[in-house]
């Protein structure tokens, strides 16, 4: 299997305008309007993917739409899926995709990650990230901290959004009563907080490579 291409390389390719990078995934959403059309699209995706490709393909079928995610940035497969949807008259709306991570601040990640892996029944990527093998639950990550912070939240949500939707999502959160804690790491992520100081990050793939 060839090496994983970067998110920037994926987005520079022709024919992937329907797709957006979210951390390690590329995803898109097809609003079908009906379960029947969704089943037709999923059936077509099943026909155009082989067994190896299905190992990194995730399809979420709902009554009003289909979310498709690839854990490998496979330009050729993304193009074929988009073409199949177009043939069925189903447009893509990549603005609708996102990826949720629960992130824990930890002094010694190697000491606590095994506990969370066992508790959640998750698989592991690298030395700081856990994933749901069934692809139903959120990701779980560790963020290192330099010293204990008993008076500060140590767990927060990371919301990965399409890079062209980050500003709108942040504006909506601020308008809903939140405030900006830091944009020092933007556009990789912005730290926001609610009225009581509970933090969350809005993240994109930009600046990560």
């Amino acid at each position: 299997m060839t090496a994983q291409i970067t998110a920037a390389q994926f987005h520079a390719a022709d024919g992937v305008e329907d797709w957006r990078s979210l951390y390690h995934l590329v995803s898109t959403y097809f609003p079908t309007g009906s379960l029947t059309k969704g089943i037709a699209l999923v059936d077509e995706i099943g026909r155009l993917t082989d067994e190896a490709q299905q190992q990194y393909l995730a399809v979420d079928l709902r009554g009003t739409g289909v979310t498709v995610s690839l854990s490998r940035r496979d330009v050729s497969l993304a193009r074929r899926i988009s073409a199949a949807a177009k043939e069925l008259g189903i447009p893509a709306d990549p603005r609708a995709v996102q990826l949720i991570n629960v992130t824990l601040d930890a002094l010694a990640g190697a000491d606590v990650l095994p506990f969370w892996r066992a508790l959640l029944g998750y698989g592991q990527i690298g030395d700081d990230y856990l994933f749901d093998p069934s692809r139903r639950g959120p990701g779980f990550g560790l963020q290192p901290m330099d010293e204990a912070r008993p008076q500060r939240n140590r767990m927060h949500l990371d919301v990965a959004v399409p890079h062209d939707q980050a500003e709108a999502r942040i504006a909506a959160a601020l308008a809903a009563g939140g405030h900006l804690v830091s944009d020092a790491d933007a556009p990789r992520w912005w730290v926001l907080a609610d009225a009581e100081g509970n933090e969350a990050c809005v993240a994109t793939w930009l600046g990560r490579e």
Side-chain angles (χ1 to χ4, degrees):
M1 183 176 289
T2 58
Q4 173 85 298
I5 65 173
T6 67
Q9 289 171 324
F10 179 86
H11 283 289
D14 293 329
V16 296
E17 294 79 10
D18 290 345
W19 299 77
R20 297 292 185 272
S21 291
L22 304 172
Y23 294 141
H24 56 288
L25 301 176
V26 290
S27 297
T28 192
Y29 176 71
F30 297 102
T32 60
S34 74
L35 187 61
T36 300
K37 291 183 70 174
I39 290 172
L41 176 58
V42 172
D43 189 49
E44 188 61 29
I45 292 171
R47 280 197 291 268
L48 59 84
T49 54
D50 60 31
E51 185 174 342
Q53 291 167 330
Q54 290 172 12
Q55 297 303 307
Y56 56 83
L57 167 71
V59 178
D60 185 340
L61 170 64
R62 303 297 173 100
T64 56
V66 178
T67 301
V68 185
S69 299
L70 306 175
S71 57
R72 290 193 61 81
R73 301 184 186 103
D74 188 330
V75 170
S76 177
L77 180 55
R79 288 172 178 157
R80 295 201 304 274
I81 292 172
S82 291
K86 185 176 182 180
E87 186 70 21
L88 292 170
I90 303 172
D93 182 9
R95 299 172 301 173
V97 298
Q98 66 178 17
L99 178 64
I100 306 296
N101 280 340
V102 176
T103 303
L104 175 68
D105 292 342
L107 286 171
D111 292 341
V112 301
L113 197 64
F115 167 82
W116 290 102
R117 179 175 180 174
L119 181 70
L120 297 171
Y122 273 21
Q124 185 168 337
I125 298 175
D127 58 4
D128 62 357
Y129 187 80
L130 303 177
F131 69 96
D132 181 1
S134 65
R135 304 183 185 183
R136 293 191 300 263
F140 184 92
L142 295 182
Q143 179 171 281
M145 60 181 183
D146 298 327
E147 58 184 2
R149 295 191 295 268
Q151 299 304 316
R152 180 188 166 190
N153 298 333
R154 291 183 57 187
M155 189 171 292
H156 64 272
L157 291 182
D158 286 338
V159 185
V161 301
H163 62 279
D164 50 3
Q165 298 299 309
E167 291 185 7
R169 185 66 66 90
I170 292 166
L174 297 180
H179 65 273
L180 179 67
V181 175
S182 174
D183 60 2
D185 293 290
R188 290 187 298 168
W189 68 79
W190 292 257
V191 183
L192 309 178
D194 66 16
E196 295 188 357
N198 301 300
E199 294 180 1
C201 294
V202 174
T204 77
W205 66 269
L206 295 173
R208 295 180 180 273
E209 300 169 327

